[in-house]
Amino acid sequence: MGISSPSEMLRWFLSHSISVERAKTLTRDELVGKITIGEFIDTEQPELAEEYRSATSGSKAQARRRLMKVAENEEAGRQRKFSTRSGCRTTNSRQAIGCCFVCQARLLNALPE
Amino acid sequence: MKHPLMKYLREDWFPTVLCPGCGHGIVLQSLLRAIDEQNINVDRVVVVAGIGCYARLATGYVAADSMWTLHGRAIPIATGIKLVNPDLHVIVLTGDGDCGAIGLSHFVHAAKRNIGLLALCFNNGIYGMTGGQVAPTTPKGARTKMTPFGSLERPLDLCSLAQVAGASYVARWTTAHPRQLTGSIKKAFRNKGFSFVEAATQCPHTTGGM
């Protein structure tokens, strides 16, 4: 362009800008040196992040249920393990080991004040 | 009395590193005005930038969460941010070299995916930060350091490319049309999908010296 003044550059922008509608009537060679301005497209289309969220929400809930089940199984196994090893008062053992609410209550009562 | 948009800026980073007469400040003002007029909480805004003169706007001057990424890789990183937290307003600041050359494939695929980003392109038609080399959007016949007899190629039309690739909102204005540019950025904020707004800016320091 060879223009060094910013204000002259802005004037160049103004004088060489054409609208999108007018640009559609010109050939490719006629558009050389022109700046097409305006809105090219404004539509509504499905957005990826929303689609991703809806696609993964079912699998996330399924994964969460699976994890909960694993945790419940582990907790049940832990209780069974403690109960059989050391015994529990709720299972006719005299030693409170904190494996259930009854044991925990007994342990708390046994603590010195 | 302070400028009403100063609340979105980090004053301790001033003065700017931009050259005298640079048009990037006009584009930044349009962006901040759009954020202000749309009542967007700036704490819910993330600005991601590639490499270029404009990048300092994102990572320094705008008082929002920001990320300065590799050259051309702002869009994929912004895509990750948007997918992890879709409620954020993710703005990608990019340049004509960043978006139209090294990051072109990311740009096309983001438009194809219609991911909810706002890509704001600072198109000065030249590699300004590196000294004035020819860029994909350099106008035909323009003299640069690499094209002393004028560029022989037609410039790449990024807006037409975004439109063809599948972007849901595409607009182009110049720094001589700041109000229209603000209006388009506001529309882009309301758009759910990929929005591409190109702002043709002047670079008197490098382009004007050729």
Side-chain angles (χ1 to χ4, degrees):
Chain A
M1 293 187 292
I3 308 169
S4 57
S5 162
S7 56
E8 283 300 316
M9 285 183 162
L10 290 176
R11 288 193 191 93
W12 187 89
F13 280 151
L14 284 175
S15 61
H16 287 74
S17 298
I18 58 168
S19 66
V20 176
E21 292 75 22
R22 191 169 163 226
K24 286 176 184 170
T25 64
L26 301 178
T27 63
R28 197 180 172 194
D29 288 333
E30 288 171 332
L31 285 171
V32 172
K34 300 279 191 298
I35 301 174
T36 309
I37 57 169
E39 292 181 351
F40 286 70
I41 191 167
D42 184 8
T43 58
E44 284 194 11
Q45 295 168 18
E47 198 265 330
L48 180 72
E50 284 183 357
E51 288 189 301
Y52 178 77
R53 183 186 272 181
S54 62
T56 56
S57 60
S59 59
K60 275 183 182 172
Q62 194 179 357
R64 198 176 297 117
R65 280 196 300 273
R66 196 180 300 129
L67 280 175
M68 288 295 290
K69 196 171 181 181
V70 169
E72 285 170 6
N73 288 340
E74 283 183 357
E75 180 64 18
R78 192 179 68 83
Q79 288 193 6
R80 277 196 303 275
K81 189 176 173 184
F82 280 127
S83 299
T84 52
R85 183 182 295 172
S86 308
C88 170
R89 196 167 287 275
T90 54
T91 57
N92 297 326
S93 170
R94 298 198 62 83
Q95 189 179 3
I97 57 169
C99 66
C100 59
F101 287 117
V102 178
C103 290
Q104 285 167 11
R106 287 181 183 278
L107 284 172
L108 286 174
N109 289 334
L111 291 174
E113 293 183 359
Chain B
M1 185 180 172
K2 277 190 178 180
H3 194 280
L5 298 177
M6 194 57 84
K7 58 188 173 186
Y8 300 111
L9 295 170
R10 295 191 180 106
E11 289 183 63
D12 51 334
W13 281 70
F14 285 177
T16 69
V17 296
L18 302 175
C19 306
C22 176
H24 288 6
I26 300 173
V27 184
L28 177 64
Q29 188 187 24
S30 290
L31 172 65
L32 298 180
R33 200 172 289 282
I35 289 174
D36 191 55
E37 291 177 6
Q38 286 290 106
N39 290 323
I40 292 172
N41 183 4
V42 78
D43 291 336
R44 305 296 298 165
V45 171
V46 179
V47 189
V48 186
I51 301 297
C53 302
Y54 63 88
R56 186 59 71 87
L57 304 176
T59 54
Y61 307 136
V62 179
D65 288 338
S66 60
M67 185 174 272
W68 197 346
T69 68
L70 301 173
H71 197 196
R73 314 299 174 218
I75 286 178
I77 289 170
T79 300
I81 294 171
K82 186 68 180 180
L83 285 178
V84 169
N85 196 341
D87 299 328
L88 293 176
H89 294 281
V90 185
I91 303 168
V92 179
L93 301 188
T94 184
D96 50 324
D98 193 73
C99 178
I102 193 167
L104 184 65
S105 61
H106 299 305
F107 168 63
V108 170
H109 284 274
K112 182 203 75 171
R113 291 173 185 136
N114 199 32
I115 179 86
L117 308 174
L118 162 59
L120 181 58
C121 180
F122 294 70
N123 180 8
N124 55 11
I126 202 164
Y127 283 98
M129 197 173 71
T130 51
Q133 291 80 15
V134 65
T137 55
T138 302
K140 188 175 183 182
R143 284 192 301 151
T144 69
K145 273 192 175 173
M146 308 299 290
T147 56
F149 305 109
S151 174
L152 303 176
E153 304 169 11
R154 289 191 182 93
L156 181 62
D157 190 347
L158 292 172
C159 285
S160 298
L161 185 61
Q163 184 183 359
V164 170
S168 50
Y169 183 76
V170 178
R172 180 194 286 131
W173 298 102
T174 74
T175 45
H177 306 87
R179 290 188 186 279
Q180 293 90 332
L181 180 61
T182 304
S184 279
I185 296 172
K186 283 164 68 178
K187 269 193 172 181
F189 276 126
R190 292 194 292 269
N191 180 35
K192 280 187 174 180
F194 185 73
S195 306
F196 180 70
V197 180
E198 181 184 328
T201 73
Q202 72 274 17
C203 182
H205 184 69
T206 52
T207 317
M210 300 298 164

